[in-house]
Amino acid sequence: MATDQVPPIADELPTVEPGAPPAHIEDDAVHADDAGYRQPQVDAEALRRLLDGPHREARDLVRANLVEHAQILLDQEQLTTAEFRERVKDVVLTMARTGQTGMGFPEEYGGGGDIGASVAAFETLALGDLSVLVKVGVQFGLFGGAILQLGTRHHHDAHLADIVSGRTLGCFAMTETGHGSNVQALGTVATYDVEAQEFVITTPDDASRKDYIGNAAAHARLAVVFAQLEVAGERHGVHALVVPLRDEDGRVLDGVRIEDCGPKMGLGGVDNGRIWFDGVRVPRTALLNQFAEVTPEGRYLSPIDNPNKRFFTMLGTLVQGRVCVGGAAINAAKVALAIAVRYGARRRQFEATSPGEEQVLLDYGMHQRRLLPLLARTYALHFAQEVVAEQLHDVFSGAGGDEHARRVLESRAAGTKALGTWHATRTIQECREACGGAGYLSENRFAALKADTDVFTTFEGDNHVLLQLVAKGLLTDYSGEFEDMDQLGMARFVAGLAVETVVERTAVHKLVQSVRDLLPGGDTWDQEAGLLDPNYQLAMLRFREEHMIAGVARRLKRGIDRGMDPGAVFSRVQDHVMAAARAHTERLVLEAFVQKTADLPDGDLKVALNLLCDLHALSVIEADRAWFMEHGRLSSARSKAITREVGALCRKVRPLVVDLVDAFGVPPEVLRSPDLLGGPTGSGDRAGG
Amino acid sequence: MATDQVPPIADELPTVEPGAPPAHIEDDAVHADDAGYRQPQVDAEALRRLLDGPHREARDLVRANLVEHAQILLDQEQLTTAEFRERVKDVVLTMARTGQTGMGFPEEYGGGGDIGASVAAFETLALGDLSVLVKVGVQFGLFGGAILQLGTRHHHDAHLADIVSGRTLGCFAMTETGHGSNVQALGTVATYDVEAQEFVITTPDDASRKDYIGNAAAHARLAVVFAQLEVAGERHGVHALVVPLRDEDGRVLDGVRIEDCGPKMGLGGVDNGRIWFDGVRVPRTALLNQFAEVTPEGRYLSPIDNPNKRFFTMLGTLVQGRVCVGGAAINAAKVALAIAVRYGARRRQFEATSPGEEQVLLDYGMHQRRLLPLLARTYALHFAQEVVAEQLHDVFSGAGGDEHARRVLESRAAGTKALGTWHATRTIQECREACGGAGYLSENRFAALKADTDVFTTFEGDNHVLLQLVAKGLLTDYSGEFEDMDQLGMARFVAGLAVETVVERTAVHKLVQSVRDLLPGGDTWDQEAGLLDPNYQLAMLRFREEHMIAGVARRLKRGIDRGMDPGAVFSRVQDHVMAAARAHTERLVLEAFVQKTADLPDGDLKVALNLLCDLHALSVIEADRAWFMEHGRLSSARSKAITREVGALCRKVRPLVVDLVDAFGVPPEVLRSPDLLGGPTGSGDRAGG
C-alpha cells in the first residue's frame, strides 16, 4: 500500500471548527446572511509567516534581491532582446553571489545543502521577472541539477563549484524538435569509439536537433546532452553526457551548430536555441555515470538491468524541476491576485447601491465570484506545494529516499505542477480581465505575467503527459512495473488485472469505508452532513477519485477483452484517465489545506483560513457537481445549495481580501501598477481627483 | 413581442437530417462506432464559399491585401515600437486606397455604401496582424463612424472624404481613466460660451483624462471627444464634439496634453494615449448634432427629451464596433485552429497503437476533445455572427431601422461580442498549448494572437457589462424603459412586475409550449427524443433560457419585496443575471447554426455540418449538464450519454478536420508556422527527417 502518499489526516480525520454556522439550505430568494456570524480579523503579518513556512529566511533573501533588482521589470519592456538577455544574465550572477541560487547544492561546492530552502527560494523568485527565474532554473536546476544527480564525484569536482558560482554557464539539451514529450525516442546519438576512448555526438536529422534549449543561443559554455548511447553497435537507450559548446571567449566550437529560436511569446531574457552536433568528440568520462558506465574497452555496465527502468530512473531526477515550476506558477498567480484584488477593493464603477456614489468592484457579487474562488485555490495550492516540497527535500536528502517514495513524489510533483500551472494561466487571465483596459498596459504586470508563464503548462513536462504519469501511478500503485511501461503497456497491464485489484492498489481505497459512511447515497442523507464539514468535502473528493480509477480500469479491461487494439482503447479512455489523475491531485490539494487549518491554534486566523478552505472545497465540488449528480452522490437540491454556499462564502471572505493578498508578501516594488493601486480609480473615489 | 429577434426557425422548426444514426446509449465499455455509418467527404472550397457568404468579394480583397502585406507579421517582432507604428499606419493607408476600409461609408464620400461588406472586410482583416485591424477599427469604425452616425451633413461634408481616404486621421476619445464602462459618469466638460459661440473643453481631474485612446499618442489630428455638455449652467449629459489635437505638422495644439500609454501586452502598432484638455475652444458647430443641438444664443434642443434615452441612443451607434470586434475575434480563433489542427493532424508522439510508429496527435481521444468542440463552436459562432452582421446591415441601411429593431440588434451584438471574444481567448490558449513548446515561438503566430486579442474581452464594452445589457433587454423586452435604466433601475423595474409578466415579455416565451412537449421531465422521456435531434437540442437551450430569466426576475422581486437594498439584491443576483444572458445568446448561436445547416441541400456538406452542429450543441449542453440535472431536464443516465456522444462525434469529425480548417480560407502566407505546418514533426514522421 502506498502509505507514504496518504498524509496522516487520512487515518484520523481532523475535527475542524469552520468558524461559520452549519450550512443551511437557503430558499431561492436573496436574504441577509446569518445574523449571528462574527467576521474574523486577519493579521496579515502572522498569516504571511504561516505562508512563508520553515524557509522564511530563504524567501526574505530573495525578496530583498527582487527589490534591489526591481528595475529589471522595466528593462524587460525597454531593452532590446540582446541587451535584456545580458541584463538578465547579470542579475542572475549577482543573485548567485548572495547564495540565493545555490541553496540546493552540497556545501563543499559552495552550496547551501538545503533542498527545501532552494525550492522556497526559487518559488519566491517567481514574484519578480520570470526571465530571471527561468534562467536560474536552467543554470542551477536543470544543468547543475543534472550534473549533480546524474554525475559522480568526477563531474562534481570538475564542475559544481563553477556552476554554483556562475563561472560556468550551461544548458540542458534534452528536447528535440521531433521529440518533445517522448524523450525515449530522442534521435541524437552518442557512439563510443573504443580506439579513441571517446564518444562521438551526432544529430542524424532535423527532427533530432535540440530545440528550445534555454541558455543555448548565447551564454552556455557546456551542455548536458541527452542522446542514444551506442556501444559496439548496440543501443542502450538515452543517456546524458557533458559536451562543450563554446570556448572561453564564447565562440561556438567546431562540429557544433547553434541557431537562435528567435522571438518568443515571453521570457525574452532567456536565450533559447537549437543545437546540431556533427561528430563532436568528448572523452569517455563525459558520460554522466551515476546509473550507467562504459568501460575504456567498451563494455556497457549499469546497476539497473531493465532499460526502461533505467530510463525512468534517470528522468526521475527531473522531479525537482517540476516541483519548482509548480511552486513558481502558484507564486505568479499570487502577483496577479495581489494587483487585481487590491484594485477591485478600491475601484468604483456604476451607482449600484446609492445614487451619487459608485460602487466598489469587489462589492459586486459577480466580481467576488470571479476572483475569490481563485484566491482560495491559490491558498490551497500553496499548502499542497508545501507538502510536495517537503517530500522532495526528504527524498533527495536521503531521509525517505527509497524507490517507492520517489515514485510517489514523482506522481505528486507531476500532478501539482499540472494543476498549479493551469491555475496560474487561468488566474492571471481572469485578473487581467478584472482590471479592464488598465490590465492591458505593461506597467501593470499582467502583460509579462501572461506571456512569461504561458509556457509553464507545456515545459518541464506537458501537463497532459504529466497527468498520464499520475494516472499510471494510480493504476499500478507505483509498482515495479511502473517504470517499465508506456501507454500501450499500461493499457495491457491494467487489462490483465481484475478491476478490484486495481482499486485495492490505489491509495484511496482504504478510505472508502468512511466515505461510504458519509455518503450513503440517495436523497435522505442530504441534511445529515454539513456542507462546511471538511470530512464531507474530503469524502466527496475521495469517492470521486476511487470511482474514476475503477472506471478507467474497467473500461481499459473491457475494451481489450473485446479484442480492440490497445492503442485505440487507450485513446478512447484518455479523457477519463486525465479526469482520474486530476481528481486524485485535487484530493491531495484539499487534504493539504484541511490539514494545515486543522493544525492551527484556535483564533481568527484559523477561522479565516477555514472560510477559504471551505470556499475552495465547495468550489471544486461545484465545478464538477454534474459528475457527483451523475454518480448519485449529490441531489439536485444539495447541488444548488452548494452554489448558494459558495456565494455566501465569497461574501464572508470579501472583507478579508486585502489582508489575504498582503499576506503573500509580494514586495510593492515588484507589483508596479501605480495607477491600479494608487491612481485615479473612479468618479466616486475622491482620492483619484 | 420581440419578433425580430426570433429567426423563422422559431415558428417552424426545421427537419434536419443529422447524417448519423440516432443516438444510442452506449454501455460503459468502449466499443466500435456504429458499423453502418458512412463518413462524409468535405469539399473545402465549397465550404469556404458557404462561410464567405454574400460578401465574398470583400473578403477576397482583404485576403489579397493581407498576402501583399504579410511582411508586417515579421515586422511586428522585429521593429521598434515607433517604427512599427509607422509601418502599421502605412499599411492601413495602403489598404484604404484599395477601398477595403471605406466600404461602410456613403459612396458620395468615396465609400462603398455597403455596411454588410464593411463588416465582412473587417472580420477578414483579423486573419492578419491585429494592430492593423485595430488601427482600421479606430480610424474608420470608431472615429469615422462617430462622425457619420452622430454628425450631420455639415460634419460629413467637412470630414468624411478625408477620413475615408485616410488624409485625416482621428481618434475616438470616450473612455477616461476613472470612467471605463460607466460612460455616463464621464468627467470631461464642454461648456458653451455664448459670447464667443464656442465650446470650452476641460479635463477637471486626472480621473477624467481620456485614456487608452487609439491613434492619440502619435497620429490623430482630430478627436471625437465625449464630454458632459454644459449650457448656461445646466448639464445635459454626455455629448460628442470634434476637437483638433494636432496641426498639419503633427504638433500638439495649445491646451491639449497628450501622453503615451506606454508598452502594452499586445497591439504594439496602435498608438494608445492619454489626453487632457485645458480650456480648449472649438466652434459651436463642432458639436455632433444628430441627436442634440445648441443654438447660437445658447438654447439646448434635442428631439429626445429623456436624457437617459438620449444617451443610450447616442451610444447605440457603437453597435457597429461591437459587431466588428465579435467577428474579428471569431476569425482570430480560426487562425489558431488552422495551425493547431493541421499540426495535430501530422505531428506524431509516442507509440500508442503499434510499436515502431508514433501516433498522430489528433488520433488521441484527449487531443480531439481539446480541439474539436472548439472547432465546432467556431463554426457556430461564425454563422451567428453572419446573422448579427445582416441585422446590422438592415438596421443601419434603413431597411429595418425602427427603435425596437435597434435594441434587439444592440442586445444581440453585445451577446455575440462577449461570447465571440471569450471564445477567441480560450481557443487561442488551447491551440497554443496543443502545439507544445513550438506554440511558444513567435513565428508560429500564437504569441501575437494571444497578446493582441487579449483586450478584445474588455474593450468596445467589457464583456460582463455587455452581458448585463443583454439581460436588461431580456427582462424588459427592450421596452421604452430599456434605455432609461441603470442597474438599480432595472432591479426596481423588474421588482415592480409580476414574474409572469417578465417571462411573457421574453422572446423565448412563445416557444415554451413546444419546449414542454419535448422535455416533459422525469426519467421516462429519456429514450424519446434523440440527442442528435436539433429540436431536442434547441428545446433544451430554450428551456434553460426561460427558466433562468424567470429565476432572475423572481429573485430580484423577492429581495426588494423583503426590503433589501436594491443594489445589494442586484449584487447577489448578478451571477444569475450573467448566466441568463449567456443562456440567451447560446440559444441564438445554436439557432443560427441549425438554421444554416437546415437550409443546405442534401449532400456531404450538409452531413458534415450537421456533425459539427451536433458536436457544438451537445458540447454546450454537456458544459452545463449540472444545471439541466438540477432543473429536472436531464437524467443522470442521459447526461452520461451526452458525454459519450460528444466523444463519438469527435471521432466522426476527426477525418474531416483538415478540410474544415482549410475552408476558413486563411492565406498560407499569414499562417506562417513553417515548422509546425511543414517541418520535422516526430520520429515516426519520415517526412521530417
Side-chain angles (χ1 to χ4, degrees), chain B residues 265-322:
Chain B
M265 191 178 292
L267 299 176
V270 182
D271 50 315
N272 294 87
R274 302 184 178 113
I275 316 173
W276 291 256
F277 299 98
D278 183 11
V280 170
R281 290 183 164 264
V282 293
R284 186 186 63 90
T285 53
L287 181 69
L288 294 172
N289 58 345
Q290 176 70 34
F291 299 107
E293 177 66 290
V294 175
T295 64
E297 60 277 13
R299 267 214 310 149
Y300 178 84
L301 302 173
S302 171
I304 309 171
D305 286 339
N306 184 311
N308 259 321
K309 185 169 178 179
R310 194 187 311 130
F311 172 75
F312 282 108
T313 304
M314 289 188 200
L315 247 61
T317 59
L318 292 177
V319 67
Q320 188 158 350
R322 287 178 185 157

Side-chain angles (χ1 to χ4, degrees), chain B residues 349-686:
Chain B
Q349 206 75 177
F350 289 115
E351 297 166 10
T353 315
S354 47
E357 186 178 53
E358 292 186 289
Q359 179 164 303
V360 169
L361 291 187
L362 266 171
D363 288 334
Y364 285 103
M366 191 69 204
H367 213 75
Q368 293 172 9
R369 265 285 187 168
R370 292 169 71 184
L371 295 183
L372 303 193
L374 294 174
L375 178 61
R377 187 172 178 80
T378 302
Y379 269 83
L381 286 165
H382 174 96
F383 293 124
Q385 168 69 13
E386 195 175 78
V387 172
V388 79
E390 274 167 31
Q391 288 184 355
L392 177 84
H393 181 87
D394 291 347
V395 164
F396 279 78
S397 304
D402 66 276
E403 280 208 24
H404 188 270
R406 273 186 184 251
R407 279 182 224 122
V408 169
L409 167 66
E410 283 165 24
S411 168
R412 188 162 188 142
T416 310
K417 186 268 182 185
L419 264 56
T421 54
W422 272 325
H423 174 69
T425 298
R426 182 176 151 216
T427 301
I428 294 165
Q429 182 68 36
E430 193 64 52
C431 288
R432 194 309 274 167
E433 293 184 30
C435 293
Y440 199 63
L441 302 183
S442 300
E443 67 175 9
N444 298 322
R445 295 255 5 224
F446 296 109
L449 276 172
K450 261 194 70 162
D452 292 345
T453 59
D454 192 72
V455 76
F456 286 19
T457 54
T458 53
F459 80 178
E460 293 290 316
D462 177 276
N463 282 358
H464 287 92
V465 176
L466 291 180
L467 286 184
Q468 274 180 219
L469 182 77
V470 173
K472 193 162 73 167
L474 291 174
L475 289 164
T476 62
D477 189 30
Y478 318 100
S479 66
E481 297 90 343
F482 181 70
E483 288 153 341
D484 189 16
M485 212 180 285
D486 55 13
Q487 316 171 21
L488 274 184
M490 179 169 87
R492 290 203 191 92
F493 173 80
V494 171
L497 301 174
V499 172
E500 295 67 33
T501 313
V502 173
V503 172
E504 276 166 20
R505 282 166 170 248
T506 66
V508 79
H509 183 63
K510 66 175 178 175
L511 309 170
V512 166
Q513 193 48 51
S514 65
V515 171
R516 295 210 194 286
D517 290 346
L518 263 161
L519 304 175
D523 281 344
T524 54
W525 57 275
D526 264 21
Q527 315 295 335
E528 291 166 20
L531 295 180
L532 304 183
D533 178 352
N535 295 318
Y536 166 75
Q537 298 159 359
L538 284 169
M540 289 288 274
L541 297 203
R542 285 167 181 155
F543 174 83
R544 178 177 64 165
E545 175 183 355
E546 194 211 14
H547 197 284
M548 282 185 172
I549 295 166
V552 167
R554 191 164 38 234
R555 290 180 67 194
L556 286 175
K557 185 171 172 57
R558 219 181 283 186
I560 289 176
D561 285 354
R562 291 184 187 188
M564 280 184 73
D565 174 89
V569 173
F570 178 81
S571 172
R572 291 204 183 185
V573 181
Q574 198 183 13
D575 58 340
H576 200 154
V577 168
M578 298 295 175
R582 270 182 196 259
H584 170 72
T585 312
E586 288 285 5
R587 190 258 299 172
L588 295 179
V589 170
L590 181 60
E591 278 182 352
F593 201 173
V594 168
Q595 184 66 58
K596 195 77 190 182
T597 50
D599 288 346
L600 288 178
D602 287 346
D604 272 19
L605 199 55
K606 185 170 189 150
V607 173
L609 281 184
N610 272 324
L611 282 178
L612 278 180
C613 189
D614 285 332
L615 178 54
H616 169 67
L618 294 188
S619 297
V620 168
I621 295 171
E622 186 194 27
D624 208 15
R625 66 196 200 282
W627 188 92
F628 288 106
M629 282 190 276
E630 285 169 354
H631 295 83
R633 286 300 171 268
L634 205 54
S635 68
S636 58
R638 197 165 173 89
S639 179
K640 291 184 198 171
I642 287 175
T643 293
R644 280 192 299 272
E645 189 61 48
V646 169
L649 286 165
C650 282
R651 289 190 290 278
K652 285 173 183 159
V653 170
R654 162 69 185 94
L656 313 175
V657 288
V658 173
D659 290 320
L660 290 173
V661 298
D662 278 351
F664 290 153
V666 188
E669 292 83 351
V670 304
L671 281 180
R672 303 184 66 196
S673 313
D675 282 350
L676 291 183
L677 303 181
T681 59
S683 52
D685 180 6
R686 293 304 151 211

